[in-house]
Amino acid sequence: MSAAPQMPQQQSLYYFVPQMVEKGTTLLKRMEISVAEAEKRTGKNAVSMQETYTVYLIETRAVDAASEGANPAPDSLWRRYSEFELLRNYLLVTYPFVVVPPLPEKRAEFVWHKLSADNMDPDFVERRRVGLENFLLRVASHPVLSNDNIFYSFLTQEQSWKEVVFETGFQAKADSRLKALNATFRVKNPDKRFAEMKHYGDELQSVISQLLRVRARVADRLYGVYKVHGNYGRVFSEWSAIEKEMGDGLQSAGHHMDAYAASVDDILEEEEHYADQLKEYLFYTEALRAVCRKHELCQFELEMAAQDLTSKKQQREELATGTVRTFSLKGMTSKLFGQETPEQREAKLKTLETQIEDGEEMVKEKNAECEEFVKNAWVDIERFKEQKDRDLKEALISYAIMQISMCKKGIQVWSNAKECFSKM
């Protein structure tokens, strides 16, 4: 298996290139994909009001156009964040059994005081650029999503892409929140595996949220600790001015302290990219729970179809025997106004038989849908779990290595200061 195309050099350290599956099964094997740059633009929106927005340059290159037997796709095109959102919404509706990769945050969350929450801030836009590229690479390496024609059009057709998406009618297929909520509370026989996975998604979201809050508080304090070392530099510099023998050593030590204080900006910028990796999995938890909610809805529809079929069969039995097992308006009507004629009863029996045949077919269809959903969803959940374990393990190890390196730099600064003091 050959290596996946690397992302732009300036950020390749911070995001994982998604691991590819077997050769020839994903788009990433055939196409190199990157979000090369971001650009701020100004224009009129849908209601003719002036607005400032950011567009992102997607660059694609066929790994071997000749082997595809077609001309290379256009090299580049621009997309807005809202178009990425439209693509993801389409994927969510079209592939409800897939844990669809999340987009990077639209506005900064879990910020510390020095970090701008402005979505037009250059640093935030750059991190979002990296996140959008990561999203495309995740989708392009997915065994199912990567082969979707709409996704390919998103990468290669700048003008007609939106029209093609809306022509699929995906919006009409989207489940309403009320419908999903109804299924959650009324389903009688939920699948234990999906119920546990949904609970796990809730717990994972809580844990990562807490971790990000702790990290933001630590960043605030760390920034203060580093910057206050600049006061050492200022004091040593002032002190050196009144000393003859000790002056050079004090001034050199002051320079080391100034450099130490200034280094925190790069450190926390690097930390922010590790935080973005955690945020990706924070948003992944909602995608995981969406699959579980879809299964609840599938199971609920099966149960409703089965319940309706049972009711129709009971009505048939009551009509055939003339015995009403349960209280009903029909039973009361019969007592008040007399029994139906044989012809009326025969017509109703015939109608019920047709409804029962349709109901049996519906139950069979819904049962097959549920079985297919469970099979496909569980395959993708297992794939996601392996990806999650691998990515988060690597992220945490890299973060620990960064912290160790940071501590070593602090030791080195004070070791250098010690040398300066020793030479006085």
Side-chain angles (χ1 to χ4, degrees):
M1 184 171 68
S2 60
Q6 294 298 308
M7 291 175 284
Q9 190 61 37
Q10 66 263 41
Q11 298 295 355
S12 61
L13 169 66
Y14 303 123
Y15 268 87
F16 310 110
V17 175
Q19 191 176 55
M20 290 164 45
V21 293
E22 294 179 5
K23 183 178 180 180
T25 59
T26 67
L27 181 63
L28 196 56
K29 186 66 181 176
R30 307 186 299 274
M31 178 184 284
E32 295 177 0
I33 303 167
S34 68
V35 179
E37 62 179 274
E39 182 180 289
K40 189 183 292 186
R41 292 184 182 176
T42 302
K44 290 186 177 181
N45 58 20
V47 291
S48 299
M49 293 183 66
Q50 202 77 359
E51 67 170 345
T52 300
Y53 57 92
T54 305
V55 290
Y56 299 88
L57 182 65
I58 300 174
E59 292 186 346
T60 56
R61 185 176 68 84
V63 173
D64 188 356
S67 66
E68 295 290 319
N71 293 324
D75 286 336
S76 62
L77 50 78
W78 295 92
R79 295 282 185 215
R80 294 185 62 172
Y81 183 88
S82 58
E83 292 180 274
F84 282 87
E85 288 182 308
L86 179 59
L87 170 65
R88 187 171 186 274
N89 288 337
Y90 159 79
L91 294 175
L92 282 169
V93 173
T94 309
Y95 303 98
F97 56 88
V98 170
V99 185
V100 178
L103 292 170
E105 57 194 352
K106 193 165 188 174
R107 288 176 176 78
E109 299 179 24
F110 303 101
V111 299
W112 49 286
H113 84 278
K114 194 67 178 175
L115 193 69
S116 173
D118 180 9
N119 64 347
M120 288 294 177
D121 177 73
D123 290 336
F124 174 75
V125 170
E126 169 59 17
R127 290 199 311 278
R128 189 200 275 177
R129 180 198 68 77
V130 175
L132 291 174
E133 179 172 280
N134 187 62
F135 166 74
L136 293 181
L137 292 174
R138 293 281 194 203
V139 176
S141 66
H142 192 280
V144 176
L145 303 181
S146 67
N147 294 308
D148 184 88
N149 291 332
I150 297 295
F151 174 56
Y152 184 79
S153 297
F154 177 86
L155 297 172
T156 58
Q157 297 178 23
E158 187 160 17
Q159 298 301 325
S160 60
W161 176 76
K162 280 188 179 180
E163 289 76 7
V164 173
V165 178
F166 289 126
E167 283 173 6
T168 64
F170 82 94
Q171 291 169 308
K173 302 173 188 174
D175 300 319
S176 69
R177 290 182 181 274
L178 183 61
K179 189 177 179 182
L181 191 65
N182 188 41
T184 298
F185 287 104
R186 293 182 62 188
V187 67
K188 295 177 181 177
N189 299 300
D191 189 306
K192 186 178 179 181
R193 294 177 302 169
F194 283 92
E196 289 176 351
M197 189 55 62
K198 186 178 178 183
H199 178 69
Y200 170 76
D202 292 337
E203 293 294 312
L204 183 61
Q205 182 190 44
S206 175
V207 168
I208 295 179
S209 294
Q210 292 177 50
L211 192 58
L212 286 165
R213 290 191 189 97
V214 170
R215 183 260 155 190
R217 290 199 299 269
V218 170
D220 265 327
R221 296 188 181 185
L222 189 64
Y223 184 83
V225 168
Y226 267 71
K227 287 302 182 184
V228 83
H229 277 72
N231 292 335
Y232 278 130
R234 178 180 56 78
V235 172
F236 286 148
S237 180
E238 292 174 356
W239 188 3
S240 69
I242 63 171
E243 298 287 353
K244 291 184 179 180
E245 300 297 329
M246 297 169 56
D248 290 344
L250 288 168
Q251 191 169 39
S252 296
H255 290 327
H256 288 300
M257 294 300 157
D258 289 337
Y260 184 65
S263 68
V264 72
D265 296 296
D266 290 338
I267 289 170
L268 292 181
E269 183 181 344
E270 184 176 350
E271 266 202 17
E272 207 57 46
H273 291 288
Y274 287 113
D276 286 341
Q277 290 178 13
L278 289 176
K279 286 178 184 179
E280 182 189 19
Y281 278 93
L282 176 69
F283 305 143
Y284 250 128
T285 60
E286 176 53 31
L288 179 63
R289 289 179 298 177
V291 173
C292 297
R293 286 196 300 270
K294 184 65 180 179
H295 177 262
E296 287 175 340
L297 185 58
C298 185
Q299 178 67 23
F300 178 66
E301 289 176 349
L302 171 61
E303 290 177 5
M304 289 298 98
Q307 183 177 312
D308 184 61
L309 177 61
T310 301
S311 175
K312 290 288 191 297
K313 287 181 176 179
Q314 184 176 320
Q315 289 176 40
R316 180 181 63 181
E317 184 181 344
E318 291 172 354
L319 201 59
T321 61
T323 305
V324 179
R325 290 186 179 183
T326 57
F327 173 80
S328 67
L329 182 62
K330 186 180 73 172
M332 287 296 295
T333 302
S334 298
K335 288 181 180 180
L336 290 171
F337 301 105
Q339 295 289 331
E340 297 169 318
T341 65
E343 291 79 10
Q344 289 175 320
R345 190 161 58 249
E346 186 66 30
K348 286 192 174 182
L349 274 170
K350 189 174 181 181
T351 300
L352 278 172
E353 288 293 349
T354 301
Q355 290 175 342
I356 287 170
E357 286 180 11
D358 293 342
E360 287 174 339
E361 190 62 34
M362 176 64 73
V363 169
K364 184 179 178 182
E365 181 183 315
K366 290 295 180 182
N367 194 53
E369 282 180 14
C370 270
E371 288 180 356
E372 184 70 12
F373 182 89
V374 169
K375 182 181 74 173
N376 292 333
W378 210 251
V379 166
D380 200 66
I381 286 173
E382 290 296 331
R383 177 203 60 79
F384 167 73
K385 285 162 63 178
E386 290 180 9
Q387 170 195 300
K388 170 190 65 70
D389 292 348
R390 181 179 65 248
D391 288 356
L392 289 181
K393 176 183 176 181
E394 185 176 335
L396 292 170
I397 290 172
S398 298
Y399 184 72
I401 290 171
M402 193 203 80
Q403 296 295 324
I404 292 168
S405 176
M406 182 178 67
C407 292
K408 286 181 176 178
K409 287 178 182 177
I411 293 172
Q412 187 61 51
V413 164
W414 281 104
S415 297
N416 292 340
K418 177 188 172 186
E419 289 297 317
C420 293
F421 298 148
S422 298
K423 293 176 182 177
M424 291 191 303

